[in-house]
């Protein structure tokens, strides 16, 4: 493992893995890794900051407007967010296009471990445990979630906190090759198959839907008027319908969330749709500046939630996209996607599909609390003189 792959490996580990999050000083790890990364890529730091300054300035401006609006802002929380952006952005900038290769190798490694340990756990109803965590049996690079009744969640979480989170990171490592997917398949067949196998065993509703929707959109936008295109579209449409109706974790889960959503009526929910409806209150309250990340402002109209989070309780917010909108405001979120679209060196069609992929996958997990997704507007900035 060379130093560049090791840096990406560490970046993934601090992007939400329970192995790292269990430690008391977890929040300081992005700063420590940023210092290490700055030393390794010290010749790139100045040029990186110059080329990406507009993104950092936009984040700082949002924080300033939030302070003017609320007369309060969490200084440490704001710095922590900037550090996460800096960390991922510098790695993207310094590694250039090799980042996606290194990221793919790292996710392949986690996938390989998971498809060995996950079947073993399901067949033997036992899981190796070196970490001693309450909710997981863990070997550090693979976590098996333990349910309330003592049994194991029959889905593959990889090194992450939830199978859906693993699915999202697996899809991202493939999505970065959206313009070179044939090249990836030709040169990395075995690794590609392992990654797809790991993705399938997550049984992630959001992950499966994201993949099918993005494939269909890409086919429609790239369609030429020939019979093979229509046959392929028909195949994916029928396949999607069969999977939706025959697999309980898709059809029944989606239907149950739709039915439950009708009962929430602006009550807090850890379900995707219910969380989005709940967040509409805060999005409408401060659509431009957002409500910030601190519980004092983020849950200002819900003191029970505010007190729960301030006391250290995890609320389990169910929608990463609406949470980001409510926290940072609509203008910043639009700017976030604009920078991603502008700086990706993909074709216009592939850029659209990539943006759609992000919007859908963010409907599930809280990826935007972690460096890899926060720094995406800075991905491949080396190909642009300025943002």
């Amino acid at each position: 493992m060379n130093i560049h792959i090791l840096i990406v490996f560490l970046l993934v580990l601090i992007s939400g893995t329970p192995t790292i999050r269990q430690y008391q000083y977890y929040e300081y790890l992005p700063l420590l890794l940023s210092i290490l990364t700055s030393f390794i890529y010290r010749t790139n730091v100045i040029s990186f900051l110059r080329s990406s300054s507009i993104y950092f300035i936009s984040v700082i401006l949002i924080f300033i407007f939030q302070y003017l609006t609320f007369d309060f802002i969490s200084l440490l929380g704001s710095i922590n967010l900037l550090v996460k952006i800096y960390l991922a952005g510098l790695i993207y900038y310094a590694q250039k296009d090799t980042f996606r290769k290194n990221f793919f190798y790292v996710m392949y490694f986690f996938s390989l471990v998971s498809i060995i340990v996950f079947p073993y756990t399901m067949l033997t109803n036992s899981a190796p445990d070196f970490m001693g965590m309450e909710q997981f049996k863990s070997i550090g690079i693979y976590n098996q979630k333990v349910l309330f009744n003592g049994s194991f969640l029959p889905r593959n979480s990889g090194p992450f906190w939830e199978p859906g989170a693993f699915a999202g990171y697996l899809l991202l490592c493939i999505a970065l090759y959206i313009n070179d997917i044939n090249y990836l398949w030709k040169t990395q067949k075995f690794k590609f198959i392992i990654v797809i196998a790991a993705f399938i065993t997550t049984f992630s509703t959001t992950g499966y839907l994201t993949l099918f929707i993005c494939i269909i959109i890409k086919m429609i936008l790239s369609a030429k008027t020939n019979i093979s295109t229509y046959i392929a579209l028909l195949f994916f449409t029928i396949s999607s319908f069969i999977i939706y109706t025959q697999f309980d974790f898709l059809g029944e889960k989606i239907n149950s969330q739709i039915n439950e959503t009708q009962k929430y009526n602006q009550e807090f929910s850890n379900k995707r749709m219910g969380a989005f409806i709940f967040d509409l209150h805060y999005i409408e309250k401060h659509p431009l500046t957002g409500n910030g990340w601190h519980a004092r402002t983020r849950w200002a109209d819900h003191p029970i939630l505010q007190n729960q989070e301030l006391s250290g309780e995890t609320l389990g917010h169910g929608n990463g996209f609406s949470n980001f909108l409510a926290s940072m405001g609509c203008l910043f979120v639009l700017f976030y996607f604009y920078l991603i679209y502008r700086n990706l060196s993909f074709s216009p069609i592939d850029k659209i599909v990539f943006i759609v992929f992000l919007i859908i996958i963010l409907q599930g997990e809280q990826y935007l609390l972690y460096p890899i997704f926060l720094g995406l507007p800075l991905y491949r900035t080396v190909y642009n003189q300025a943002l």
Side-chain angles (χ1 to χ4, degrees), residues 107-151:
M107 295 310 300
Y108 155 72
F109 169 74
F110 286 128
S111 299
L112 184 62
V113 172
S114 74
I115 64 171
I116 294 173
V117 183
F118 174 68
Y120 168 81
T121 300
M122 294 298 101
L123 290 173
T124 64
N125 196 35
S126 63
D129 183 26
F130 303 150
M131 307 303 295
M133 291 186 286
E134 183 178 346
Q135 295 182 328
F136 299 91
K137 297 290 186 180
S138 174
I139 58 173
I141 53 177
Y142 176 80
N143 303 301
Q144 185 62 52
K145 194 167 186 177
V146 181
L147 302 177
F148 293 111
N149 60 6
S151 63

Side-chain angles (χ1 to χ4, degrees), residues 166-187:
F166 190 27
Y169 280 104
L170 290 172
L171 285 179
L172 178 62
C173 82
I174 296 174
L176 292 177
Y177 278 94
I178 193 171
N179 63 327
D180 284 322
I181 200 70
N182 291 332
Y183 170 80
L184 180 65
W185 169 250
K186 290 177 181 177
T187 59

Side-chain angles (χ1 to χ4, degrees), residues 238-262:
I238 294 174
S239 299
S240 300
F241 177 77
I242 292 173
I243 290 174
Y244 175 82
T245 55
Q246 297 300 315
F247 288 83
D248 292 343
F249 73 93
L250 275 176
E252 288 189 9
K253 184 175 180 180
I254 294 172
N255 290 334
S256 67
Q257 289 201 16
I258 292 174
N259 293 332
E260 288 179 11
T261 297
Q262 299 172 0

Side-chain angles (χ1 to χ4, degrees), residues 33-296:
L33 186 55
S34 293
I35 294 172
L36 174 63
T37 304
S38 297
F39 175 76
I40 294 172
Y41 299 129
R42 53 191 176 277
T43 58
N44 298 105
V45 171
I46 300 301
S47 56
F48 160 67
L49 290 174
R50 287 175 178 170
S51 66
S52 57
S53 58
I54 193 170
Y55 186 43
F56 287 102
I57 290 172
S58 67
V59 176
I60 293 171
L61 283 175
I62 288 296
F63 289 154
I64 290 173
F65 288 135
Q66 288 178 352
Y67 179 78
L68 294 175
T69 301
F70 307 118
D71 196 28
F72 170 82
I73 193 171
S74 172
L75 182 60
L76 290 178
S78 302
I79 293 173
N80 185 260
L81 187 74
L82 289 167
V83 166
K84 291 175 182 178
I85 294 172
Y86 170 83
L87 171 60
L90 178 59
I91 294 172
Y92 298 158
Y93 183 85
Q95 294 193 6
K96 302 179 175 63
D97 197 38
T98 60
F99 168 78
R100 64 177 182 174
K101 179 182 71 174
N102 295 334
F103 183 43
F104 181 80
Y105 286 167
V106 169
M107 295 310 300
Y108 155 72
F109 169 74
F110 286 128
S111 299
L112 184 62
V113 172
S114 74
I115 64 171
I116 294 173
V117 183
F118 174 68
Y120 168 81
T121 300
M122 294 298 101
L123 290 173
T124 64
N125 196 35
S126 63
D129 183 26
F130 303 150
M131 307 303 295
M133 291 186 286
E134 183 178 346
Q135 295 182 328
F136 299 91
K137 297 290 186 180
S138 174
I139 58 173
I141 53 177
Y142 176 80
N143 303 301
Q144 185 62 52
K145 194 167 186 177
V146 181
L147 302 177
F148 293 111
N149 60 6
S151 63
F152 296 110
L153 181 70
R155 298 167 60 194
N156 185 357
S157 299
F160 294 98
W161 67 93
E162 212 267 350
F166 190 27
Y169 280 104
L170 290 172
L171 285 179
L172 178 62
C173 82
I174 296 174
L176 292 177
Y177 278 94
I178 193 171
N179 63 327
D180 284 322
I181 200 70
N182 291 332
Y183 170 80
L184 180 65
W185 169 250
K186 290 177 181 177
T187 59
Q188 306 291 341
K189 280 189 177 68
F190 178 75
K191 292 183 177 67
F192 192 94
I193 291 171
I194 295 298
V195 169
I196 293 298
F199 169 73
I200 291 172
T201 57
T202 64
F203 299 107
S204 168
T205 308
T206 304
Y208 281 22
L209 290 176
T210 300
L211 180 62
F212 275 106
I213 290 172
C214 287
I215 289 175
I216 291 173
I217 290 176
K218 182 171 173 60
M219 292 177 65
I220 292 174
L221 294 179
S222 306
K224 298 178 182 179
T225 53
N226 55 52
I227 189 64
S228 61
T229 299
Y230 295 116
I231 292 175
L233 283 173
L234 181 62
F235 169 77
F236 278 108
T237 302
I238 294 174
S239 299
S240 300
F241 177 77
I242 292 173
I243 290 174
Y244 175 82
T245 55
Q246 297 300 315
F247 288 83
D248 292 343
F249 73 93
L250 275 176
E252 288 189 9
K253 184 175 180 180
I254 294 172
N255 290 334
S256 67
Q257 289 201 16
I258 292 174
N259 293 332
E260 288 179 11
T261 297
Q262 299 172 0
K263 302 184 295 183
Y264 290 135
N265 191 26
Q266 294 189 337
E267 295 179 5
F268 180 76
S269 167
N270 60 1
K271 305 295 184 182
R272 289 165 177 77
M273 298 179 187
F276 187 90
I277 290 176
F278 175 82
D279 282 337
L280 285 177
H281 167 74
Y282 286 98
I283 295 171
E284 293 171 356
K285 183 180 179 182
H286 294 291
L288 300 182
T289 63
N291 298 270
W293 295 98
H294 195 276
R296 178 173 165 181

